Amino acid sequence: TGPNDEIGRLTSTINGMLERLQMAYSELEESYRRQRRFVSDASHELRTPLTTIRGNVDLLEKMWKQTASVGSVPERQQLEMSLEAMHDIAGESERMSRLVNDMLSLARADAGIQMPKMELQMLPLVAGVARKAQLLPRSVEWITGDLTPLQGVYVQGNRDYLQQLIYIFVENAFKYTDQGFVKLDAVRTESQIGLRIADTGIGMNSEEVPMIFERFYRVDVSRGKTAGTGLGLSIAKWIIDEHHGSIQVESRPGEGSTFIIWLPISSISDSEREQAFPPP
Ligand code: ADP
């Protein structure tokens, strides 16, 4: 056999391998697509029964409370016990709803769903979040610091997701802070805007910090402390990546944590903006 035959054999072997690789790849892609689809469908399906459970629990609680006010002593004791059980069910279904919502967000992330983006003025967006943060369940002081670095700053972004992003950090700060305060302010560099959320809460070890953005990861001390899902920061990470931003974390156990969300400032100049989006 000559070198030509040898080359021919080699070529067909390589071609065969390539074909098999291509097939394996398509199969993988298909199974990945099915898996993402499944997670997203499952999340949708789980929401409906959860809403029903929640509604019925609320109704029963109300009815039993009414009965408890008129019943005899043993009846009232029994009702009180079942009220406690109801309370647990309500709490757990609430937690599960949050879990399902978070999983749905991550399923969207995995499915590579694009967020529609536009030029967003940052000052009103962040000031709006700061106002609403006062209404969140919290036991410590809420401080809106200096937001003037946001003046005139635009970001290519998605309004809803950016709001959700800030809430994730603010809610965490409230969850993991028992005394002191939670503060939001802004800092800027030439090309980036930083939204800073600082708390005087439980803080974390430096080894812990890189892990908290992983799905379902929760620092040991915070397990059981609150009804978190361990998914908030992985959603935050996805939103930041989608905006080509980054996250800076400083934290000390027992002293508190500071998170800075860095986002690239939109480079469209003011005059271009005036032309593209004339003032009303
Ligand atoms: P969770 O639902 O548990 O809050 P997250 O993904 O939002 O999930 O956060 C992951 C973990 O990071 C939390 O369980 C907590 O241990 C830690 N963490 C997040 N934010 C803070 C904070 N401000 N202070 C201290 N620990 C925090």
Side-chain angles (χ1 to χ4, degrees), residues 5 15 21 31 39 45 58 60 63 69 71 94 100 120 123 128 145 153 161 166 175 217 223 253 255 276:
D5 293 339
N15 275 338
L21 258 175
S31 99
V39 176
E45 292 302 316
D58 286 348
L60 285 175
M63 281 163 56
S69 61
E94 180 75 42
V100 166
L120 289 176
L123 185 58
V153 167
Y161 281 111
I166 306 169
K175 264 196 295 194
Y217 184 85
R223 276 175 217 274
E255 287 181 25

XYZ file of all heavy atoms in Angstrom, residues 5 15 21 31 39 45 58 60 63 69 71 94 100 120 123 128 145 153 161 166 175 217 223 253 255 276:
200
model
N -2.889 5.634 -0.139
C -3.903 4.804 0.549
C -3.931 5.126 2.029
O -4.993 5.247 2.642
C -3.569 3.311 0.388
C -3.721 2.889 -1.054
O -4.444 3.607 -1.774
O -3.109 1.886 -1.426
N -12.607 11.740 9.378
C -13.964 12.181 9.026
C -15.019 11.471 9.851
O -15.978 12.071 10.320
C -14.233 11.943 7.540
C -13.705 13.106 6.711
O -13.530 14.210 7.239
N -13.421 12.865 5.448
N -18.397 12.936 16.587
C -18.321 14.075 17.520
C -19.498 15.023 17.306
O -20.143 15.484 18.248
C -17.027 14.852 17.292
C -15.913 14.601 18.282
C -14.658 15.345 17.843
C -16.331 15.080 19.675
N -30.234 17.481 24.609
C -30.586 17.094 25.983
C -30.482 18.307 26.910
O -31.270 18.478 27.833
C -29.718 15.934 26.460
O -28.668 16.399 27.250
N -36.855 22.512 33.454
C -36.768 23.344 34.659
C -37.758 24.500 34.572
O -38.471 24.809 35.522
C -35.338 23.899 34.850
C -35.289 24.839 36.034
C -34.363 22.768 35.041
N -45.289 25.097 36.590
C -46.291 24.168 37.104
C -46.371 24.210 38.632
O -47.435 24.019 39.205
C -45.986 22.734 36.653
C -46.160 22.506 35.170
C -47.559 22.838 34.707
O -48.529 22.460 35.389
O -47.687 23.505 33.662
N -54.577 30.689 54.243
C -55.016 31.996 54.740
C -56.489 31.958 55.140
O -56.887 32.475 56.180
C -54.794 33.078 53.675
C -53.313 33.423 53.541
O -52.542 32.983 54.417
O -52.950 34.104 52.574
N -58.357 29.255 55.980
C -58.543 28.435 57.178
C -58.114 29.180 58.435
O -58.784 29.141 59.460
C -57.746 27.134 57.056
C -58.335 26.101 56.107
C -57.410 24.909 55.971
C -59.703 25.635 56.605
N -60.812 31.539 59.369
C -62.010 30.876 59.898
C -61.756 30.373 61.314
O -62.586 30.517 62.209
C -62.415 29.714 58.989
C -63.161 30.197 57.765
S -63.234 28.964 56.462
C -63.970 27.587 57.288
N -62.504 32.357 69.014
C -62.979 33.407 69.917
C -64.296 33.039 70.597
O -64.666 33.623 71.606
C -63.117 34.724 69.150
O -64.051 34.555 68.116
N -65.341 29.370 70.929
C -65.364 27.977 71.384
C -65.064 27.807 72.876
O -64.714 28.750 73.573
N -44.557 29.743 51.513
C -43.995 31.044 51.140
C -42.542 30.880 50.660
O -42.140 31.400 49.628
C -44.028 31.935 52.402
C -43.488 33.326 52.230
C -44.454 34.212 51.476
O -45.666 34.124 51.768
O -43.986 34.961 50.603
N -39.209 28.726 43.898
C -39.681 28.505 42.538
C -39.413 29.747 41.677
O -38.918 29.646 40.551
C -41.176 28.142 42.542
C -41.766 28.239 41.153
C -41.363 26.738 43.089
N -30.527 53.909 30.204
C -31.262 54.190 31.444
C -30.555 55.267 32.243
O -29.343 55.208 32.446
C -31.322 52.926 32.306
C -32.199 51.796 31.844
C -32.043 50.619 32.792
C -33.654 52.233 31.790
N -29.856 57.914 38.114
C -30.270 58.591 39.343
C -31.736 58.300 39.715
O -31.998 57.849 40.836
C -29.992 60.096 39.260
C -30.285 60.864 40.546
C -29.508 60.340 41.737
C -29.991 62.355 40.371
N -35.429 55.673 43.224
C -36.713 54.969 43.367
C -36.557 53.739 44.249
O -37.363 53.492 45.153
N -27.398 57.257 51.298
C -26.234 58.149 51.315
C -26.189 59.022 50.069
O -27.219 59.279 49.440
N -25.574 60.131 34.772
C -24.995 58.848 34.348
C -26.071 57.968 33.702
O -27.151 57.786 34.253
C -24.356 58.103 35.547
C -24.037 56.660 35.187
C -23.104 58.818 36.013
N -34.590 44.367 35.745
C -33.529 43.514 36.279
C -32.558 44.310 37.154
O -32.080 43.806 38.168
C -32.787 42.792 35.157
C -33.539 41.584 34.644
C -34.104 41.565 33.377
C -33.695 40.457 35.449
C -34.804 40.461 32.909
C -34.391 39.346 34.993
C -34.941 39.348 33.725
O -35.634 38.259 33.277
N -30.484 45.456 42.708
C -30.201 46.256 43.916
C -30.983 45.686 45.110
O -30.453 45.561 46.204
C -30.539 47.746 43.699
C -29.825 48.270 42.446
C -30.135 48.585 44.912
C -30.276 49.639 41.993
N -31.335 41.104 55.961
C -31.457 39.756 56.536
C -30.298 39.441 57.474
O -30.473 38.792 58.485
C -31.442 38.705 55.409
C -32.802 38.257 54.959
C -32.723 36.970 54.142
C -31.977 37.130 52.843
N -32.168 36.025 51.895
N -25.556 28.009 47.602
C -24.552 28.127 48.658
C -25.021 29.103 49.737
O -25.451 30.215 49.444
C -23.200 28.599 48.103
C -22.145 28.617 49.185
C -21.439 27.465 49.504
C -21.909 29.769 49.927
C -20.503 27.460 50.524
C -20.969 29.772 50.948
C -20.282 28.614 51.240
O -19.372 28.618 52.259
N -27.427 29.546 57.746
C -28.406 28.477 57.540
C -29.367 28.459 58.727
O -28.943 28.534 59.861
C -27.720 27.114 57.468
C -27.193 26.784 56.126
C -26.437 25.483 56.210
N -25.278 25.544 55.343
C -25.317 25.236 54.060
N -26.422 24.837 53.499
N -24.240 25.329 53.327
N -16.103 39.125 59.465
C -17.058 38.491 60.380
C -17.315 39.391 61.588
O -16.369 39.927 62.166
C -16.353 37.208 60.810
C -15.250 37.000 59.847
C -14.904 38.311 59.241
N -18.421 42.297 61.720
C -18.345 43.750 61.502
C -19.253 44.239 60.392
O -19.756 45.354 60.438
C -16.904 44.160 61.190
C -16.020 44.096 62.417
C -14.600 44.530 62.113
O -14.381 45.294 61.159
O -13.701 44.069 62.833
N -30.845 61.296 19.720
C -31.547 60.002 19.684
C -32.802 60.025 20.559
O -33.817 59.447 20.216
C -30.615 58.896 20.147
